Amino acid sequence: MKPIYIDYLNALDIEALAMTDAEIIGAVEAGLVAQGKGETVIEPRVHLEPDPSFHGHFNVLRGYVAPLDAAGVKIVGDYVDNYMHGLPSEFGILNLFDPRTGTPRAILDATVITDMRTGAVTAIGAKHLAKKSSKVLAHIGARGTAYWNVRLLDHLFDFDEIRVHSRRPESRDAFAAKLAADLGKPVLAVANWKSCVEGADIVVEASRLPEPQPLLKTEWIKRGALVVPYGTMSAVELSLTDIMQKIVVDDWGQCKGGKFGSLRAHVETGRLSEATLHAELGQIAAGLKPGRQSDGETILFWHRGLSLSDIALGKAMLAKAAENGIGQRLRFA
């Protein structure tokens, strides 16, 4: 047997890559297009909850992207109390394999990949589903994915006003300050959900609630807005879907099952079903179904996170790393 080596990119390597906003969005959208064309296999995510008292769980995401010739498995922990230990709430590892032989190909730190690809899916959703004239962004939550949501959305829309809110004042103030410095524009940290959400063109809800609680009120959503709720626990009212002309998800197979997700109650009560679902985002990205068709449409986009987005971004990072001599090779066998 020939020697087998694994490409390894740790967090420092990925930082050195300095992936641009356009590179991140382009890689993830290519994965979504492949999904829309039926060129992927997505296994519904599974969860491991070691002990409820730890206030966290692991997500295991599995997929195959034929155009990229890659299969992958990502394991990411999601622990809401990690800030008390000076740690990010999420740590992840992405493993890539040869889909024909099962040979391991690469291991990547997936912590920032998770943040980047989540932000990219939010941004790509808005690209197809928000009004082109959107100028006011409301963002609830300041966890790791939140930064990339705002950064990549602003890359596409160049907002006039960005409002952010999170439960802890220190987290929302620091979040707003970092965004303002990196984006070169004011970012307003607000004290409550209503003042953040009301009247915004795009509303992203990425809260971290310990249990479902309807903190985002349907009456605050203006006509023609795009709402993107993806908290692990639901923070929206059941009536939210009643005002939507279109509901789009990233993958219906993932969204219709499992114990977690911002619209879990809407699925269980029949408000969201295959009959009421407009499309998966990949179908829209591939041009197979329409996105927004008028400024008056109020649209909801729910994404739970796709293995194929991790795989697509990981592959793009490996290609850039090879071009720039970044990363390490580990002997496997």
Side-chain angles (χ1 to χ4, degrees):
M1 184 175 70
K2 294 180 181 178
I4 296 173
Y5 292 89
I6 293 176
D7 292 318
Y8 176 58
L9 296 180
N10 64 26
L12 300 177
D13 297 326
I14 290 175
E15 183 178 2
L17 290 177
M19 297 291 288
T20 67
D21 295 349
E23 286 172 336
I24 296 166
I25 291 172
V28 173
E29 186 151 26
L32 289 168
V33 169
Q35 178 200 13
K37 292 180 176 179
E39 299 171 335
T40 63
V41 176
I42 306 166
E43 293 288 340
R45 69 169 61 198
V46 293
H47 304 282
L48 169 65
E49 192 172 9
D51 187 316
S53 69
F54 298 163
H55 299 155
H57 65 278
F58 293 95
N59 300 299
V60 183
L61 293 78
R62 305 155 290 164
Y64 165 58
V65 185
L68 298 179
D69 190 35
V73 177
K74 186 184 78 169
I75 303 171
V76 57
D78 188 351
Y79 282 75
V80 298
D81 293 340
N82 273 9
Y83 71 92
M84 294 189 287
H85 308 290
L87 297 171
S89 60
E90 296 173 318
F91 284 106
I93 291 178
L94 173 64
N95 302 277
L96 296 179
F97 303 88
D98 183 322
R100 289 168 177 77
T101 66
T103 306
R105 284 181 172 171
I107 299 172
L108 297 87
D109 169 59
T111 307
V112 74
I113 288 177
T114 298
D115 294 346
M116 288 177 172
R117 68 85 153 131
T118 303
V121 173
T122 300
I124 295 162
K127 171 185 169 181
H128 293 285
L129 301 172
K131 292 183 297 186
K132 303 301 182 191
S133 60
S134 296
K135 288 300 175 186
V136 179
L137 170 65
H139 194 288
I140 302 289
R143 55 169 152 167
T145 57
Y147 172 84
W148 288 98
N149 282 334
V150 177
R151 174 170 161 173
L152 296 179
L153 281 166
D154 191 63
H155 173 74
L156 296 180
F157 290 91
D158 190 18
F159 297 108
D160 291 339
E161 184 177 345
I162 298 173
R163 314 170 192 154
V164 299
H165 171 74
S166 69
R167 178 168 49 89
R168 294 181 295 120
E170 62 272 24
S171 72
R172 64 177 177 254
D173 291 343
F175 182 45
K178 177 173 175 55
L179 284 169
D182 291 356
L183 301 179
K185 62 174 60 177
V187 175
L188 182 64
V190 298
N192 59 69
W193 286 61
K194 182 178 181 180
S195 59
C196 185
V197 170
E198 200 165 38
D201 297 305
I202 299 174
V203 177
V204 181
E205 181 275 306
S207 62
R208 301 188 60 78
L209 302 179
E211 58 188 24
Q213 188 178 359
L215 296 174
L216 192 155
K217 304 299 183 183
T218 304
E219 65 187 34
W220 300 338
I221 304 301
K222 79 171 187 179
R223 183 173 178 268
L226 170 67
V227 182
V228 187
Y230 73 87
T232 302
M233 297 294 179
S234 176
V236 303
E237 294 185 304
L238 275 175
S239 58
L240 182 66
T241 52
D242 297 343
I243 68 168
M244 299 298 166
Q245 279 72 59
K246 288 188 173 88
I247 301 176
V248 176
V249 301
D250 55 355
D251 177 65
W252 177 239
Q254 286 199 124
C255 289
K256 68 182 179 181
K259 63 180 284 189
F260 298 114
S262 61
L263 297 189
R264 179 59 47 228
H266 298 76
V267 174
E268 291 171 354
T269 57
R271 287 172 172 81
L272 175 56
S273 66
E274 287 188 71
T276 62
L277 181 69
H278 170 66
E280 293 178 338
L281 181 59
Q283 295 172 314
I284 296 172
L288 302 176
K289 289 194 175 181
R292 175 175 288 272
Q293 293 171 288
S294 75
D295 281 356
E297 287 183 305
T298 309
I299 298 176
L300 185 145
F301 172 46
W302 177 28
H303 62 98
R304 298 214 57 212
L306 293 176
S307 57
L308 64 89
S309 299
D310 299 298
I311 293 166
L313 185 53
K315 285 280 288 189
M317 287 179 169
L318 288 166
K320 188 170 185 178
E323 291 171 3
N324 291 277
I326 294 171
Q328 301 137 71
R329 297 193 79 207
L330 307 178
R331 181 73 180 265
F332 179 76

